[in-house]
Each structure stands twice: as C-alpha cells, then as structure tokens.
Amino acid sequence: MKKSLLAASIAATFAFTSLSTQASTTETWQDTLQHAKGQTVYFNAWGGADNINDYIQWAADRIKEEYDVTLKQVKLTDTSDAVNRVLAEKAAGKNTNGSIDLIWLNGENFRAMKDNNLLFGPFSQSLPNYITYVDENARQSLTQDFGTPVDGMESPWGMAQVIFMHDTATLSNPPKSIVDLLTYAKANPGRITYPEPPQFLGSTFLKQALYELTPYRKALSQPADSVDFDKITAPLWAYLDQLHKVAWRNGQTFPSSSEEMMRLLDDQEIDVALSFDISAASVQIDKGNLPDTVRSYVFTNGTIGNTHFLAIPYNSSATAGAQVVANFMLSPEAQIKKQTPTIWGDLSVLSYAKLPASEQAKFDDLPRGIATLSIEELGQTLPEPHSSWVGALESEWRKRYAQ
C-alpha cells in the first residue's frame, strides 16, 4: 500500500475496542501503531514453499520500513506444532511473553485454539484494512472457518482452492472426478497418487473424495462424532482400497507434499498432481521445475476451497505488532503482491467492489500465469466439512493404511 493510501485508511478509522483474554483496554489505531514500534513478531507459518517464504520476507521488509516492527518467520512443517506449543505454555502457566506472536492457520487448528481459550481477541474486525476492504457477506468462509465461527478471533489472509495438474504433452484428457480418477488409475497402474495424511493436502484429498462418494453430504457439516461416521465414510474406504492397489508404488508409499507430487510429475513418474495453490503450476514452470506444457484444471463438479487466516496467541507479548502485521497483510499492496501468479498466486480476501478504482485497476492488470485458471475456470467451490472431520478421517486412514 502506498503511504498516502495507508494514511487515508488510518485517518478514516475510528477508535476501537481491543479485547484480550486477560484485559480489556480501549485505544485508537494510532495507539496500536505507537505500541507496536520496536516490537518483534514471531510469525509461525508453514515453510514448505520457497515462493511463500519469499513473500513473507518481502512483507517483513515492508513492515519494518513502514512501522518499525520486525517480523520473523518461524518455519513450520505442521501448524499443529505451534498450537501444541501454545497449549503447553498455558499448561505451564506461561500466560505472558509466549514464544509465538502470530500463527498462519485455519480449520481444526483454529478450532483447537478457540476451544482451549488460546487466542487473543477479538481483533480482526477492528483492523483498519478489514473495515475498509473486507466484505463478510462475500464468502461464508470469512466468518465460518470449517464450521467454527470466526468471531473476530483471526484475520483473513487468503483463499485457496484445490486444483489438479497434468502435462498436456502426455495426457490430453485428464480425469475430472474422483470416480474418473480411479478408472484412469486402473487403466494406467502406478500413475496416480496423493499426499499422505495428515499432510493437509492429503487430508483434503480424503475430504474431496468423501464429498463426491458419500450419499450423506449434508452430514459433513456436522461434527464427525455426532453422526454415523462408519456409514458415511464407507464408500471412501472402499474407494481407497481399490485405488491403492493400482496407485504409485502400489499405495505402500505416498508423496509428502504437493511439491513432491510436482517433482514426480516433472519426472514423469505420475500423471496427475494436486495443490491448494491455484498458481502452483505457473510458479514452478516459471522456476524451470515443470515443463511449460503442464496445465491446471478442476473437477467438473467442483473442488474444495477455503479461507486461511492469521491468529494471535493469548500470551503474545507483541499483540500490537501482530495486529499491525495482520492489518498490513490486508492492504491492497500486500494482497495484490500475493495474488501475482509468479509470486504466490493466492486469491485475495478483499472485496473488489470496496477497492478504490486505482487498486481495482492493479488487480485487473495482474498477469495470469501460463497454467493458472481464471476465477470463472475455477468454477464451483465445494465447502469444507466441519473441522472435526479432519482428525477423524486422518485417524481412520492411518489405522487402515499407515505402514
């Protein structure tokens, strides 16, 4: 965001109430900016993609320059590690000066932190850029995180949707449903696979398959322990029993991530890869890691999509700095940069209609990567099941298939 636009945004923002789990204080955004100066914000974020790490470093440089707040990324392999750390600190009575100031999360990790009173807030609905640019009515996932009410306890950062990738040079007509994927795998043994749960994309593959296969879709919006789990998921396990017999490495080994799947696609070991990043293929083509004949696609009846967020632990010693970071991440500058296909390509959470014409033009002018689908091409977004389904599906998968 340009300084003039930032100043206008701040000037237009009224005083707000910042509530923490420990105390309630009333202050203006200018007070928050003042308190944030000189603070260091330890940002725990998944670190498995170099382009995302580079984006976070760009944001850190801008935030330091603009606000005198130091943002340090703590790279995670699993977000639950950060949740467990905050939980352990609470159990040990460490209610101040916690080791984490900001977490990138959603779904079951947000639910766990909210249920265990591990969050600072509410704060997001008081951020100047949230007030100015976010339309909560635009998408249910802005206020319902995998079925858990957000209640201002986390700030939206971006939106994601499952996409699939294939090399048009070797596969011109890829499978476009879960059923078609099995049919293709049977006809082409060893060419189909998916990441191993509980890696988040692997767990999402299970949810995508369950959504397409079960006749009880409405039950997926309910807590998993409140419905007949075995009956609802029976078609999923029957499907996977068949798929694993003809999968890559006979379903005995699974890729660890989307990044590994793309390497396997590049090495022509598999025919279809998947990602939760709509620009993943374009980014890797640009880096020379995939051939320029690779293209993205989605299933005919839609793929799962969600919103991901930033949350502040209750015992952070830099809550002002963390709010400044979250607010910057909602600026048009940061969201435009993030949606640039060769940077990250992550979909913006800002309302296009609430943007000034000058910022709308910047979004309009964003290049679309060679393998990146348009909003129209992404088609229908399927809702995430209630967050409790993640752990239930992962547990049952490991019971049945983990080696």
Side-chain angles (χ1 to χ4, degrees):
M1 180 186 288
K2 294 180 179 178
K3 291 185 179 180
S4 58
L5 182 57
L6 176 66
S9 174
I10 293 172
T13 304
F14 296 96
F16 70 99
T17 301
S18 175
L19 302 175
S20 76
T21 54
Q22 295 172 284
S24 175
T25 58
T26 302
E27 61 179 29
T28 66
W29 182 247
Q30 290 290 354
D31 291 333
T32 301
L33 291 174
Q34 188 61 38
H35 293 157
K37 285 185 178 180
Q39 289 188 344
T40 296
V41 174
Y42 289 93
F43 179 25
N44 280 231
W46 178 71
D50 290 342
N51 63 307
I52 297 176
N53 296 335
D54 291 344
Y55 172 80
I56 292 173
Q57 184 56 55
W58 168 84
D61 293 341
R62 286 288 294 111
I63 290 165
K64 180 65 175 178
E65 172 191 6
E66 195 79 32
Y67 304 106
D68 191 25
V69 172
T70 300
L71 181 66
K72 291 190 175 181
Q73 182 186 3
V74 178
K75 296 175 184 176
L76 304 175
T77 55
D78 193 323
T79 304
S80 64
D81 293 341
V83 177
N84 290 334
R85 193 177 315 134
V86 179
L87 190 61
E89 289 177 352
K90 183 175 183 179
K94 190 174 184 179
N95 295 318
T96 58
N97 297 314
S99 60
I100 301 172
D101 301 304
L102 195 66
I103 304 178
W104 177 19
L105 83 181
N106 66 5
E108 76 277 16
N109 289 309
F110 173 67
R111 180 171 65 96
M113 293 197 74
K114 192 180 184 193
D115 288 352
N116 287 283
N117 297 314
L118 301 179
L119 295 169
F120 167 89
F123 74 95
S124 63
Q125 292 163 318
S126 298
L127 298 174
N129 287 329
Y130 189 103
I131 295 168
T132 305
Y133 301 119
V134 175
D135 178 6
E136 292 184 345
N137 297 317
R139 189 179 175 112
Q140 181 180 325
S141 61
L142 290 169
T143 56
Q144 293 283 327
D145 186 352
F146 288 57
T148 302
V150 171
D151 294 333
M153 303 300 285
E154 57 181 355
S155 178
W157 192 20
M159 297 190 293
Q161 185 174 338
V162 173
I163 56 99
F164 296 81
M165 290 166 264
H166 68 112
D167 190 341
T168 59
T170 56
L171 176 60
S172 59
N173 186 28
K176 293 189 177 179
S177 73
I178 284 292
V179 171
D180 287 350
L181 194 69
L182 177 59
T183 301
Y184 182 88
K186 288 180 176 179
N188 301 272
R191 307 298 298 178
I192 296 296
T193 188
Y194 61 94
E196 180 174 359
Q199 199 275 344
F200 69 91
L201 191 60
S203 300
T204 301
F205 179 83
L206 300 184
K207 291 181 286 183
Q208 177 77 34
L210 179 60
Y211 188 92
E212 292 193 41
L213 296 170
T214 187
Y216 308 104
R217 290 182 182 176
K218 290 184 178 179
L220 300 182
S221 64
Q222 305 300 315
D225 60 3
S226 70
V227 296
D228 190 336
F229 179 83
D230 292 339
K231 180 175 75 172
I232 292 167
T233 60
L236 172 63
W237 313 122
Y239 175 91
L240 293 179
D241 287 347
Q242 296 181 68
L243 179 63
H244 290 180
K245 292 176 183 178
V246 292
W248 178 70
R249 296 190 177 177
N250 301 114
Q252 300 298 307
T253 302
F254 297 85
S256 61
S257 64
S258 175
E259 288 68 33
E260 184 176 353
M261 287 196 80
M262 287 186 280
R263 288 195 292 271
L264 293 172
L265 183 64
D266 183 50
D267 292 340
Q268 299 186 351
E269 283 196 48
I270 63 174
D271 291 335
V272 176
L274 60 151
S275 177
F276 232 138
D277 178 351
I278 68 165
S279 291
S282 294
V283 169
Q284 296 307 318
I285 290 170
D286 188 62
K287 290 177 177 289
N289 295 330
L290 283 176
D292 61 9
T293 48
V294 168
R295 292 295 180 269
S296 304
Y297 74 100
V298 291
F299 283 174
T300 302
N301 293 323
T303 56
I304 285 178
N306 61 42
T307 298
H308 48 96
F309 297 83
L310 302 177
I312 304 171
Y314 82 104
N315 61 348
S316 165
S317 61
T319 58
Q323 289 177 84
V324 167
V325 172
N327 187 63
F328 175 80
M329 295 300 196
L330 284 173
S331 67
E333 177 191 0
Q335 290 279 306
I336 290 167
K337 180 89 169 178
K338 184 164 62 68
Q339 192 169 308
T340 303
T342 54
I343 301 295
W344 182 348
D346 192 48
L347 294 172
S348 174
V349 296
L350 306 185
S351 166
Y352 183 85
K354 296 184 77 171
L355 292 167
S358 60
E359 301 298 341
Q360 288 180 344
K362 292 176 184 177
F363 274 104
D364 293 342
D365 291 342
L366 282 176
R368 186 152 60 91
I370 187 174
T372 302
L373 301 176
S374 67
I375 298 298
E376 292 74 24
E377 289 169 330
L378 285 170
Q380 180 183 3
T381 300
L382 303 180
E384 285 278 5
H386 187 274
S387 59
S388 59
W389 283 89
V390 176
L393 289 172
E394 290 171 353
S395 177
E396 185 65 22
W397 188 94
R398 298 202 70 76
K399 187 189 305 180
R400 290 171 176 267
Y401 307 118
Q403 300 298 314

